[in-house]
Each structure stands twice: as structure tokens, then as C-alpha cells.
Amino acid sequence: MQESATATPTLQAAPIVTLSGVGKTFDNGTVALAGTDLVVRRGEFLSLLGPSGCGKSTILRLVAGLDEPTVGTIEWHDNAKGRAAQRERNVGYVFQEPTLMPWATVFDNAWLPLRLKGISRRKAEGQIMTALESVGLADFRAAYPRELSGGMKMRVSIARALATSPSILLMDEPFAALDEITRFRLNDDLLRLWDEKGWTVIFVTHSVFESVYLSTRIAVMTARPGRIATEVIVDEPSPRTEAFRTSPKNGEIARRTSEALHRAMGE
């Protein structure tokens, strides 16, 4: 079910990955997901919105290949085979906590995923500096995490994900622990990068207002075991501005999204 019949251009784009009848039961017997169907389209900004424990982060881990579904299928819609197909599936992952190595500089923290792929520091320098420049941290390449603010640490985490030039970016509540001013600023930076890079983004959040501001589409999830209860289309142009954040249209979409969330939770 969709809360709006109006389609943004990304809703008409080809799918990049599809979850069909996906369920996930953990070894301790917890059923995190049940009958989850979700089509992720190229270039869209998709938010997963739902209560704690509904399986939002589990969906990210399944898409990233960090875990396997108990039932159901996850299908990548590759346009090519071999190495080209692997590029199609190049996934960047930004966790809720920056998880930076305290003994390493900003540069070396951003280098980590390329280092794990066997790419030398020297060969990776151009990619890393491009990533740091994109988040405004080029001048802090030699700084250590202890010298950075919370927002700057999260920028390093984002740069680390960008260094691999991902086709799809998975973000697990990356701004939840930040103050509101920093959160708003990073929301704007993220939308700018999404617009420039043409990524597909799957973004986990508990915030109705954040999901409306960032997204082209919001998938509203039920309580555990999670599934997609409904979708809300945010048919607003990009880039979003402060005017949209405080507009009646934003408030109206947020109201519909909140109502859909309450229905999904059985309230």
C-alpha cells in the first residue's frame, strides 16, 4: 500500500535489489523479519522507518551480505556479469556509531576498506582525499578521532564508506546521537552528496521528520517480526532546503507518515 499515488522519477527507475518473502530468525529464536517484500530502485533515497527491534538494521545487514535470510530471496538486478556485476553490488555501510580506530588518523580510518581489499596507501590516496574533500575533512587528514567533534567523526565514517565509490549506500541511524543543529547540517550534506553522486541510499531512522526531509520514499515497518506495512512517497524536488523543512507540505507529509507508523504498530 502506498500513501500517495504520485510517483517521483526514481520510483520509475529500474530496481537494483529486491527482497521477496524474506524472513530472518536468529539462533536464539528471535524472529526479526517475516514475509518482508521490498524493491529498492536505482538512485532513490529510501528510508526504513519503524519501532526499535522491527528489523530495520537486519534488512541492511542482509542487503550488505553480512547475514543470510532464513527464508525468502534477495535478488540483485545486475546489468552485467563478473567484475562489472560486482561493481553493481559495491555496497558502502555507515553504522550508527562511527567505530573509528582511535590510534589511526582520519586518512588511515578512511583508508581501511581499501586496505582490506589489498590497495596500498599510496595507490588509494586519490580516492581517500576525494572522499574526505566531499565531507569537508581534507584539512583534517592527519587528525586523530580524539581531536574531532561527534559530527566530524561521523563525517569520517561517511568518507570511509565513500572511499570505495559505492553504488548503494546503507546507513544505520548515523545521526541519531548528534545534536539537532549538527544533525540538520549533516542531513543537508548527505542530500548534496546523494544528488551529486547518484547513489542509491537505504537509510534507517526512528525519526518521522528526518525520513520526510531526506527521502524520496519511506517504507514503514511493523513491530517485530518486521515487514513493510505501507510506503509513503515524498514527491518533493531535490535539493531540499530549510524552506521545505518548515513548510506546510513537509508538515502534511509528516502527519501522514506518523499516522501510517501508528497503524503499522497496531495503535
Side-chain angles (χ1 to χ4, degrees):
M1 175 182 175
Q2 290 187 350
E3 291 292 318
S4 170
T6 306
T8 60
T10 55
L11 290 176
Q12 301 167 358
I16 187 171
V17 62
T18 299
L19 284 69
S20 301
V22 167
K24 179 62 182 179
T25 302
F26 292 105
D27 292 341
N28 64 3
T30 299
V31 182
L33 297 172
T36 301
D37 298 312
L38 182 66
V39 177
V40 183
R41 299 190 176 277
R42 297 178 189 278
E44 76 171 326
F45 198 117
L46 171 65
S47 284
L48 302 179
L49 177 69
S52 295
C54 73
K56 301 183 297 296
S57 299
T58 301
I59 289 177
L60 292 194
R61 291 182 59 83
L62 293 174
V63 171
L66 299 177
D67 210 339
E68 296 290 333
T70 306
V71 296
T73 60
I74 298 176
E75 178 184 5
W76 286 86
H77 303 276
D78 301 321
N79 292 330
K81 296 180 179 180
R83 291 184 178 179
Q86 289 302 313
R87 286 195 297 273
E88 289 279 332
R89 304 182 189 187
N90 188 10
V91 174
Y93 205 128
V94 180
F95 297 90
Q96 185 171 349
E97 298 294 334
T99 61
L100 303 181
M101 300 178 293
W103 59 86
T105 63
V106 164
F107 184 97
D108 286 340
N109 269 287
W111 173 40
L112 179 62
L114 297 176
R115 180 183 179 185
L116 294 175
K117 291 183 177 182
I119 301 175
S120 70
R121 197 174 189 276
R122 182 173 181 179
K123 188 173 181 179
E125 183 171 5
Q127 289 173 259
I128 296 170
M129 289 309 301
T130 297
L132 292 177
E133 286 167 6
S134 70
V135 299
L137 288 180
D139 292 340
F140 292 86
R141 59 174 293 173
Y144 288 88
R146 63 179 179 273
E147 301 170 321
L148 305 178
S149 67
M152 294 171 75
K153 290 176 184 177
M154 187 52 67
R155 288 175 189 269
V156 178
S157 182
I158 294 171
R160 183 171 57 193
L162 304 189
T164 61
S165 301
S167 58
I168 183 168
L169 185 63
L170 310 178
M171 308 188 77
D172 193 356
E173 292 192 88
F175 311 137
L178 302 176
D179 65 85
E180 190 172 79
I181 293 173
T182 302
R183 187 170 185 163
F184 284 179
R185 185 180 300 121
L186 289 179
N187 282 171
D188 290 337
D189 289 343
L190 176 58
L191 283 179
R192 172 182 57 80
L193 289 168
W194 170 70
D195 195 51
E196 290 176 359
K197 306 294 184 181
W199 300 318
T200 303
V201 178
I202 307 178
F203 186 92
V204 166
T205 181
H206 283 103
S207 170
V208 168
F209 295 102
E210 184 173 58
S211 69
V212 172
Y213 185 72
L214 292 175
S215 310
T216 56
R217 180 166 61 108
I218 304 166
V220 181
M221 296 184 65
T222 65
R224 188 172 63 233
R227 60 179 178 80
I228 308 301
T230 189
E231 296 178 353
V232 177
I233 308 305
V234 186
D235 188 21
E236 288 296 310
S238 184
R240 308 276 164 82
T241 65
E242 189 62 28
F244 173 65
R245 194 191 297 277
T246 57
S247 70
K249 183 64 178 291
N250 181 294
E252 191 272 330
I253 299 172
R255 178 188 59 78
R256 287 194 289 109
T257 303
S258 182
E259 290 173 351
L261 180 59
H262 283 293
R263 287 197 301 272
M265 296 172 63
E267 300 177 3

